């Protein structure tokens, strides 16, 4: 062995000597072309090889290359244009790199136009194509969770095709919508889940009033602009993207097993004196239960319902064209099988984008999106599964299904999975088409006309068998509902752009007309004679339920103007004005005016910044604007008729009267005023870039649903009353931490804090809807639990009408403002917490080593309270099953949960003994949102097999969640239905 090592060392030495004799040493220096200073950290690579190095603090480098060659060196550095130099016989190299203006000249899409990134005056976040692919998902907004400062994105649930909740800079409105406006290829489109992430070229998020004001009322809650891919002249390119993965339940809390259920029921009856030992089991358990206890039976009903699901997507895209005609085509199939059986989504989408130059002045284009959904939805069965007795099984001794395992006390939770028992299917076809005509009237004057059309048809059929969970032994029921939606828009845009020496001017004028039309119908029947007919033969039903039809229409007419002025591209001004008129509001209040102004100062271009070389970009932004919201149901300003059934003796008849909701003839706009101060910066040749924004939004004349006194004989009215305010700070930072010829490490950080509060409610606090001045819109108002009454506190508990083992709440106040020895709803309830976080943030890290890439993302929401559904599953009587809790007994003086008590019903504990206080939890969490490991096949191999690019990858999503709640993902906000799944998938991206 030693001889072999000696020989190997000798061979290595000879090889090293041979290399030294055959190699030549190159030395050189890399300088900044503008100031002549040496640039540290520049990557120097011999073209076509892996030989490379980096420059030192003075810009010097040294590199060994084979002797007798004239290598080509490639110099690259963040913030500078790459340079290629062929080295002759002279070994000394001196290179001057020029600043890369591409980052500053990068085009950012704004409302009805584009500007250079350096000229942006508002608060805008850009998202590029590569960022959209880091976390594959059916909904593109899910891929951006935690990546956008000021944009709060959470999953609405874990069912197949579940939506996401999106809020930009908090909740301004209480009744009206708080969701952002989506603009796809210049036209409004509400169904963002239809757009395949692989079809998107870029996205911009407009957050402040100066950015969104050009959209007027529609942009009050922020605007997200989506630009889909276009073709380009040259060789036709084909891309194929595919992934397949499995999902499972990573975080789902378990209820009592058989032994725990028995123990809690025994304790509940011990409390009443009905049980003193196992000899008394016959008093509290049925013979079947006693047999199950003896056999050790314990059924986890949730485990029988939950399964491993599937997520998969396969997409092909084709792009190309000539100088005059450019096209992009794609087809996509997405399939998701949820965590419950009969929860399945199939989505088929097709896109065709075509741009045609008629001549040098006229261009036309057409973008078409066709999406078809086939969705089988499942009624969540876990509410029943978490309450049913675990001592029983779903099947009898012969394997037959048992509808009522506990002698008709509870229906079998697996009932909906039985043949012909349940069906809920939706078929939806949605077409989104946009067309444009662009006419370059003069070199500086352009006219563009956009037309958009959305057509949506859907049918939902539901069949509930006699022993389905919903019918629970009643006669079966079927329904057939249809919906038809037609929305179209027409916008004309005139744009003038001119540069006069140091001055630049851009003027934009827009006219806009949007119409919204929706029709719905519903037919129902009970007593369908043949179950397999489901909802297709309602005429055969023995009982026909009255059919329902509905039509709603609304329009929005707008006129907009914007002026953008720049002096030396250093001092920038944007002025915007828009007038909106909505048919939803009452005559005289339909129209409103929304102006805004923004200024920006590129400090980096000032003379006094020339010597501050570490700072490579610096811009200050200030904006102020007015926006509006009218997003309430159509006809809210009108009192509508409703049918009132009655009878003359045995004969039925119909009458009509006004609906309980009263129309408001003063209904007007909800108005928001927003201030924003922002700073954009770049450091160390833009290796570190970021932005900081501070904002305040005040919203007045809130659209609120106000209850009327019962003496009026009416129910409610929508009024313009109340005010809210949102104040916040947003930080976004991106840094290229390491860059060498073989290794690259990029990190990103976002952090944002939003303080949301109600300023006015048009009177006192709204106790009915839990709305309070000085607090966020969604809060939890209740008694404050401080523990459980202990044995040593028997006398004090008696003063409050309670006893040891029951919930102890805080005596906060009384009529005189001090604790009075009584617990009352008027004085002893308070706001315990809010459903919105105090701050949110994320950390992203991307590594690349040669052909290998690794990325991960951590996402956090801190300071939110949730109403935890699992904590509410507690039956003091021990009849229903309960969540696993540390409840009080004389031997276990816990302060967590009250003592089980067979004489105390669940509703009594909830309503009279402060049981609702058990459900509030700190919902703060940090989540490993996604981890991706990929490999790009080497160029040599790709050339042999005829591919332009190929990448394979594996990914995990929702892998780890850290919170104060065990076995639960607090992103849901409290519910335990349809848990958010963990996903592990593998995928491939090919380019031809």
């Amino acid at each position: 062995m030693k001889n072999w090592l000696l020989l190997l060392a000798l061979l290595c030495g000879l090889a090293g000597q041979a290399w030294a004799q055959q190699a030549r040493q190159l030395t050189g220096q890399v300088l900044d072309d503008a100031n002549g200073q040496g640039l540290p950290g520049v990557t120097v690579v011999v073209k076509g090889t892996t030989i490379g190095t980096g420059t030192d603090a003075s810009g010097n480098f040294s590199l060994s290359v084979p002797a007798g060659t004239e290598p080509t060196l490639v110099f690259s550095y963040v913030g500078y244009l790459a340079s290629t130099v062929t080295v002759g016989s002279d070994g000394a190299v001196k290179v001057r790199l020029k600043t890369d203006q591409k980052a500053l000249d990068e085009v950012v899409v704004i409302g009805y136009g584009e500007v250079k990134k350096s000229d942006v005056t508002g608060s805008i976040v850009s998202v590029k194509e590569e960022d959209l692919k880091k976390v594959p998902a059916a909904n593109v907004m899910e891929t951006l969770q935690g990546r956008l400062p000021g944009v709060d994105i959470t999953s609405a649930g874990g069912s197949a095709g579940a939506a996401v909740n999106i809020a930009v800079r908090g909740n301004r409105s209480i009744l009206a919508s708080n969701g952002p406006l989506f603009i796809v290829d210049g036209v409004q489109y509400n169904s963002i889940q239809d757009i395949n992430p692989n079809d998107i070229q870029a996205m911009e998020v407009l957050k402040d009033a100066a950015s969104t004001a050009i959209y007027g009322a529609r942009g009050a809650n922020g605007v997200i602009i989506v630009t889909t891919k276009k073709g380009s002249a040259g060789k036709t390119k084909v891309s194929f993207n595919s992934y397949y993965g499995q999902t499972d339940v990573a975080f789902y809390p378990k209820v009592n097993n058989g032994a725990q259920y028995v123990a809690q029921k025994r304790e509940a009856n011990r409390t009443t004196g009905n049980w003193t030992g196992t000899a008394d089991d016959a008093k509290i358990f049925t013979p079947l239960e006693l047999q199950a206890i003896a056999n050790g039976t314990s059924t986890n009903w949730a485990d029988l319902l939950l399964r491993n699901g599937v997520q998969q997507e396969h997409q092909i895209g084709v792009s190309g064209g000539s100088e005059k005609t450019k096209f992009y085509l794609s087809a996509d199939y997405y399939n998701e099988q949820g965590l419950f059986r009969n929860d399945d989504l199939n989505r088929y989408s097709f896109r065709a984008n075509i741009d045609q130059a008629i001549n040098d002045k006229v261009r036309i284009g057409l973008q078409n999106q066709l999406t078809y959904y086939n969705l089988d939805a499942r009624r969540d069965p876990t509410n029943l599964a978490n309450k049913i007795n675990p001592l029983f099984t779903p099947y009898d001794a012969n394997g037959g299904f048992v509808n009522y395992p506990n002698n008709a006390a509870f229906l079998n939770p697996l009932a909906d999975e039985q043949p012909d028992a349940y069906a809920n299917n939706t078929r939806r076809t949605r077409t989104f088409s946009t067309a444009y005509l662009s006419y370059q009237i003069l070199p500086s004057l352009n006219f563009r006309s956009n037309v958009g059309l959305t057509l949506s048809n859907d049918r939902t059929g539901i069949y509930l068998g006699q022993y389905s969970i919903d019918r629970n032994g009643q006669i079966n029921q079927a329904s057939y509902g249809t919906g038809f939606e037609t929305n179209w828009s027409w916008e004309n845009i005139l744009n003038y752009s001119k540069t006069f020496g140091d001055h630049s001017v851009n003027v934009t004028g827009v006219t806009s007309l949007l119409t919204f039309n929706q029709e719905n119908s519903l037919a129902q029947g009970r007593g369908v004679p043949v179950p397999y007919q489901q909802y297709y033969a309602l005429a055969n039903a023995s009982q026909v339920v009255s059919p329902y039809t509905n039509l709603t229409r609304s329009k929005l007419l707008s006129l907009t103007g914007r002026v953008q002025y720049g002096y030396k591209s250093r001092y920038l001004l944007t002025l915007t004005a828009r007038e909106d008129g909505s048919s939803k509001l009452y005559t005289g209040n339909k129209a409103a005016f929304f102006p805004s102004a923004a200024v920006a100062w590129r400090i980096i271009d000032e003379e006094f910044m020339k010597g501050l070389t570490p700072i490579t970009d610096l811009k200050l932004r200030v904006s102020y604007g007015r926006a509006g919201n009218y997003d309430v149901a159509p006809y809210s300003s009108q009192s509508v008729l409703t049918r009132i059934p009655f009878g003359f003796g045995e004969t039925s008849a119909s009458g009509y009267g006004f609906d309980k909701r009263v129309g408001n003839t003063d209904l007007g706009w909800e108005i928001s005023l927003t201030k924003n101060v922002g700073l954009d910066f770049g450091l160390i040749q833009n290796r570190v870039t970021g932005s900081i924004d501070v904002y305040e939004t005040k919203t007045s004349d809130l659209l609120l649903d106000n209850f009327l006194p019962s003496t009026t004989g009416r129910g409610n009215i929508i009024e313009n009353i109340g005010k809210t305010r949102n104040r916040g700070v947003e930080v976004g930072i991106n840094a290229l931490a390491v860059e060498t010829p073989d290794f690259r490490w990029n990190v990103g950080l976002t952090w944002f804090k939003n303080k949301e509060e109600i300023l006015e409610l048009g009177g006192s606090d709204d106790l009915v809807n839990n709305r309070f001045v000085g607090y966020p819109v969604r809060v939890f108002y209740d008694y404050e639990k401080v523990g459980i009454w202990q044995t040593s506190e028997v006398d004090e508990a008696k003063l409050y009408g309670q006893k040891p083992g029951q919930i102890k709440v805080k005596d906060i106040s009384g009529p005189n403002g001090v604790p009075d020895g009584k617990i009352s709803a008027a004085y002893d309830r308070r706001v315990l917490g809010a459903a919105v976080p105090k701050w949110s943030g994320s950390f992203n890290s991307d590594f690349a080593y040669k052909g290998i890439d690794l990325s991960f993302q951590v996402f956090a929401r801190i300071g939110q309270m949730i109403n935890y559904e699992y904590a509410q599953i507690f039956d003091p009587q021990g009849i229903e099953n309960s969540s696993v809790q540390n409840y009080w007994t004389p031997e276990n003086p816990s302060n967590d949960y009250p003592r089980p008590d067979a004489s105390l019903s669940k509703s009594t504990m909830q309503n009279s003994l402060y049981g609702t206080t058990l459900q509030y939890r700190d919902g703060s969490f940090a989540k490993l949102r996604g981890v991706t490991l990929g490999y790009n096949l080497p160029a040599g191999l790709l050339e042999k097999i005829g591919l332009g690019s190929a990448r394979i990858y594996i990914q995990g999503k929702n892998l780890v969640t850290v919170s104060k709640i065990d076995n639960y993902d607090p992103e849901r906000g409290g519910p335990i239905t349809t848990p958010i799944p963990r996903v592990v998938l593998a995928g491939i991206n090919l380019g031809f």
Side-chain angles (χ1 to χ4, degrees), residues 500-785:
F500 308 91
D502 292 334
H503 307 272
S504 64
V505 177
N506 184 282
V507 181
T508 303
V510 183
T511 63
S512 176
L513 173 63
L514 288 83
T515 70
F516 307 92
N517 306 276
Q518 187 167 2
E519 300 178 26
N520 301 96
S521 66
L522 178 66
Q524 290 182 297
R526 296 191 184 117
V528 176
V530 185
Y532 67 77
Q533 291 181 336
Q534 296 184 349
Y535 38 79
Y536 291 110
L538 293 181
N540 297 335
S542 60
Q543 302 175 24
V544 178
V545 181
S546 298
Y548 166 84
T549 58
N550 186 50
L551 168 66
T552 58
R553 292 177 175 173
S554 64
K555 294 182 179 180
L556 183 72
L557 183 64
S558 308
L559 182 65
T560 309
R562 179 178 61 200
V563 177
Q564 297 167 284
Y565 168 75
Y567 176 65
K568 292 185 176 181
S569 293
R570 185 183 307 170
Y571 310 107
L572 308 167
L573 171 68
T574 301
L575 299 174
T576 306
R578 177 163 177 141
E579 178 108 4
D580 278 327
S582 171
S583 65
K584 290 184 177 182
L585 306 177
Y586 197 73
T587 304
N589 295 332
K590 292 183 181 297
F593 182 64
F594 305 109
S596 75
V599 294
W601 175 25
R602 284 193 51 77
I603 305 173
I604 191 64
D605 293 335
E606 297 290 352
E607 285 296 324
F608 61 79
M609 294 295 296
K610 297 299 183 183
L612 300 176
T613 53
I615 303 175
T616 48
D617 190 23
L618 192 64
K619 180 173 66 176
L620 178 67
R621 299 176 279 102
V622 180
S623 67
Y624 181 79
R626 184 176 191 260
N629 197 337
Y630 68 99
D631 198 5
V632 294
Y635 319 117
S636 294
S637 64
Q638 303 176 22
S639 296
V640 297
L641 288 176
T642 184
R643 188 172 73 91
I644 304 173
F646 63 98
F648 289 106
E650 305 243 346
T651 305
S652 61
S654 295
Y656 296 89
F658 284 112
D659 189 73
K660 287 188 175 294
R661 182 183 59 76
V662 180
N664 183 358
T665 56
D666 291 322
L667 192 63
W669 290 87
E670 185 176 279
I671 303 298
S672 293
L673 301 174
T674 299
K675 309 170 191 174
N676 191 97
V677 178
L679 185 71
D680 302 327
F681 60 87
L683 306 174
I684 318 172
Q685 300 303 324
N686 286 344
R687 289 181 75 99
V688 179
T689 59
S691 64
I692 302 173
D693 280 87
V694 180
Y695 63 87
E696 179 185 66
T697 299
K698 288 185 177 181
T699 303
S700 59
D701 296 327
L702 295 177
L703 292 163
L704 275 182
D705 203 356
N706 200 15
F707 289 97
L708 298 174
S710 57
T711 54
T712 64
R714 310 298 290 275
N716 58 304
I717 183 173
I718 298 177
E719 297 182 290
N720 292 105
I721 52 175
K723 296 179 181 179
T724 61
R725 177 172 63 188
N726 282 271
R727 292 177 291 176
V729 180
E730 302 168 351
V731 179
I733 298 175
N734 192 79
L736 182 57
V738 178
E739 185 181 43
T740 69
D742 293 330
F743 182 70
R744 182 184 177 94
W745 177 28
N746 195 83
V747 295
L749 174 70
T750 67
W751 181 89
F752 58 96
K753 176 182 178 65
N754 181 77
K755 184 179 181 182
E756 173 188 311
E757 60 182 324
I758 298 173
L759 298 181
E760 292 182 16
L761 282 169
S764 60
D765 293 336
D766 182 356
L767 296 179
V768 175
N769 293 296
N770 282 357
R771 297 168 185 158
F772 304 92
V773 173
Y775 293 94
V777 172
R778 293 180 298 142
V779 298
F780 301 103
Y781 180 73
D782 208 335
Y783 302 98
E784 180 183 356
K785 175 180 173 286

Side-chain angles (χ1 to χ4, degrees), residues 180-202:
L181 169 71
F182 286 95
I183 301 294
V184 180
D185 293 328
V187 176
Q188 177 174 335
Y189 191 56
N190 295 329
S191 303
I192 189 64
Q193 68 272 18
D194 291 353
I195 309 298
N196 188 309
N198 290 304
D199 289 339
I200 297 177
Q201 184 69 43

Side-chain angles (χ1 to χ4, degrees), residues 111-285:
Y112 304 107
E114 299 175 342
V115 297
K116 292 191 300 182
K117 185 177 181 180
S118 58
D119 292 343
V120 170
T121 58
S123 181
I124 299 176
V125 180
S126 293
V127 183
K128 300 309 175 188
E129 179 185 358
E130 54 268 23
D131 294 325
L132 301 174
K133 295 181 178 180
K134 290 180 178 177
V135 183
N139 191 323
V140 65
M141 296 309 298
E142 187 180 345
T143 70
L144 300 176
Q145 185 183 54
R147 293 182 177 269
L148 306 175
V151 183
D152 191 22
I153 302 173
T154 56
S155 298
S159 59
V164 295
N165 302 313
I166 308 168
V168 179
R169 292 186 168 181
N171 298 295
R172 302 163 183 79
S173 303
I174 295 179
L175 175 64
S177 170
N178 281 290
L181 169 71
F182 286 95
I183 301 294
V184 180
D185 293 328
V187 176
Q188 177 174 335
Y189 191 56
N190 295 329
S191 303
I192 189 64
Q193 68 272 18
D194 291 353
I195 309 298
N196 188 309
N198 290 304
D199 289 339
I200 297 177
Q201 184 69 43
M203 295 176 66
E204 271 77 27
V205 182
L206 283 54
K207 298 184 289 185
D208 67 330
S211 303
T212 65
I214 198 164
Y215 291 105
R218 297 183 295 153
N221 300 317
V223 179
I224 299 178
I225 299 177
V226 178
T227 303
T228 62
K229 292 181 179 179
K230 305 293 190 294
S232 59
K235 180 182 176 181
T236 299
K237 299 178 180 179
V238 179
S239 63
F240 176 72
N241 303 286
S242 176
Y243 67 82
Y244 179 92
Q246 286 203 336
T247 65
D248 67 352
V249 182
F251 312 105
Y252 193 81
K254 297 182 182 298
V255 294
N256 286 335
N257 59 28
Q260 292 165 327
Y261 171 82
V262 169
Q264 183 167 328
K265 190 165 186 176
R266 285 171 174 168
E267 183 60 36
N269 284 273
R270 183 169 80 119
T271 303
T272 62
N274 196 37
W275 187 91
T276 57
T278 55
D280 293 327
D281 277 352
K283 297 180 181 179
I284 61 174
F285 294 107

Side-chain angles (χ1 to χ4, degrees), residues 283-316:
K283 297 180 181 179
I284 61 174
F285 294 107
T286 67
L288 289 176
E289 290 175 322
L290 291 173
Q291 183 179 350
I293 294 171
N295 294 336
T297 303
S298 180
T299 301
N300 188 317
W301 293 92
D303 280 354
L304 297 176
L305 292 163
L306 293 163
R307 64 172 180 178
N308 289 339
V310 169
Q311 286 185 12
Q312 61 176 315
E313 185 170 19
H314 314 284
Q315 185 259 1
I316 187 168

Side-chain angles (χ1 to χ4, degrees), residues 922-948:
D922 181 352
S924 302
F925 70 90
K927 173 186 290 191
L928 183 58
R929 178 71 179 86
V931 178
T932 305
L933 176 63
Y935 177 65
N936 292 278
L937 272 65
L941 176 60
L942 294 176
E943 187 176 350
K944 291 180 181 179
I945 59 179
L947 287 175

